Each structure stands twice: as structure tokens, then as C-alpha cells.
Amino acid sequence: MRIALILTVVLALAPCPALSQSLVLQGARGETVALEADDLQAFPQETVDLTSHDAVTTYAGPLLFELLSLAGAPESAAMHGAVLAQAVRITASDGYQVVLSLGETDPGLRAARTIIAAPPATVGADRPAGFRVIIEDELRPARSVYGVTRIEILDLSQGLPRTGSHH
């Protein structure tokens, strides 16, 4: 009985992952990296404007492509062939999901940048956004997800031939 009480107290005082401000990156081969808001400051910072409801907000953070390298994403020079059949699934704390192609996140293939803004980014005055994906030059901000908790690289090339080139 005493052990059960101690275990209950320990579990009650332990940090709750659902309430933490961490971001999990998962690579196509299962590599997993957890980042905190402070970790993002170690990367070069970009600024991107987001227009939503006729208001422009400027966000700062590292390129999503740079963070994906921590989970095993290929470098820009390798962005061709079967690698372009990889996707990035972004999941928010409320279950909202969007998918980008891995190539869309590569600044070597696309001029528009995609960044991760760290908390305390907000959505309105009373809604903290947590981590937020901001995609530059979108016509509507539907893919600029707030409350992001997980970003996964998905390999969609299974079953496709590894040969062939469109260059």
C-alpha cells in the first residue's frame, strides 16, 4: 500500500508530455528527436510574414528543412529521384494534420520558406499557439498549423522503381 502511494505521488509530480512544449521529429526510418523551444534558437533564424484575416503577422524561427535533417532527411543536393516521393506530415495537439512534400520544404527547390516558430507564438490574444509551422506566400493560411506536436517524414516510394529520371 505504501509503495502504491509513493508511486502515485511520483507519477503526479512527473512532467506530463501532453502539457510540455516539446516537438517530436520522426524520420522515415523511425529516427526520433524531441526538441524544446530553446533548441530552435541554435539554428539560423528566418522571418516570414503570415496574412490571416486581413492582418499580417511576422514570425521568426528556423527553416523546417534544417530541423528535418535532425531526423535523417537528405541534404538539398540529394533532393531528386525517389527522395522526392517523401512527405512531411505535421500534426497539431488537437489532431489537425497537413501534409507537405519533402521537396516543398527544401529552400534549394522552392523560394517560399517554411519555418517553425517556437512558443510563445499566439493565435489571437488568448490562444497560445505553441510551435507553429508558417509557410510563406500561401494564398490562405490553412497549412500554417499551430499547436504542432509532431512532424514525421513519410516514405511514399515503397513499391516504386528506384530507377528513372526526369532530368
Side-chain angles (χ1 to χ4, degrees):
M1 176 91 139
R2 186 174 188 175
I3 293 174
L5 179 61
I6 292 171
L7 183 57
T8 302
V9 170
V10 168
L11 290 175
L13 295 176
C16 178
L19 299 176
S20 69
Q21 295 276 339
S22 63
L23 172 65
V24 175
L25 305 174
Q26 182 175 340
R29 293 184 203 90
E31 313 90 314
T32 302
V33 177
L35 298 173
E36 303 298 322
D38 291 343
D39 296 329
L40 273 59
Q41 297 304 314
F43 291 86
Q45 303 291 297
E46 302 275 335
T47 57
V48 172
D49 290 337
L50 176 73
T51 303
S52 180
H53 305 288
D54 297 323
V56 177
T57 304
T58 301
Y59 291 90
L63 292 172
L64 173 59
F65 189 72
E66 295 294 326
L67 296 181
L68 293 175
S69 68
L70 299 173
E75 294 181 4
S76 186
M79 201 60 69
H80 57 83
V83 172
L84 290 175
Q86 292 184 2
V88 178
R89 179 171 49 199
I90 302 163
T91 303
S93 59
D94 64 359
Y96 187 78
Q97 294 183 342
V98 298
V99 176
L100 308 172
S101 75
L102 183 60
E104 282 182 278
T105 69
D106 179 3
L109 292 179
R110 189 166 184 265
R113 298 164 297 165
T114 301
I115 66 167
I116 301 290
T122 59
V123 179
D126 60 342
R127 289 182 16 198
F131 289 98
R132 185 159 191 186
V133 171
I134 306 295
I135 303 171
E136 189 173 40
D137 294 337
E138 294 276 274
L139 297 177
R140 290 187 313 127
R143 299 191 307 166
S144 290
V145 183
Y146 61 86
V148 175
T149 57
R150 185 172 198 82
I151 300 176
E152 303 162 272
I153 302 170
L154 307 172
D155 188 352
L156 306 179
S157 69
Q158 270 107 39
L160 296 177
R162 294 281 179 190
T163 60
S165 175
H166 288 270
H167 302 290

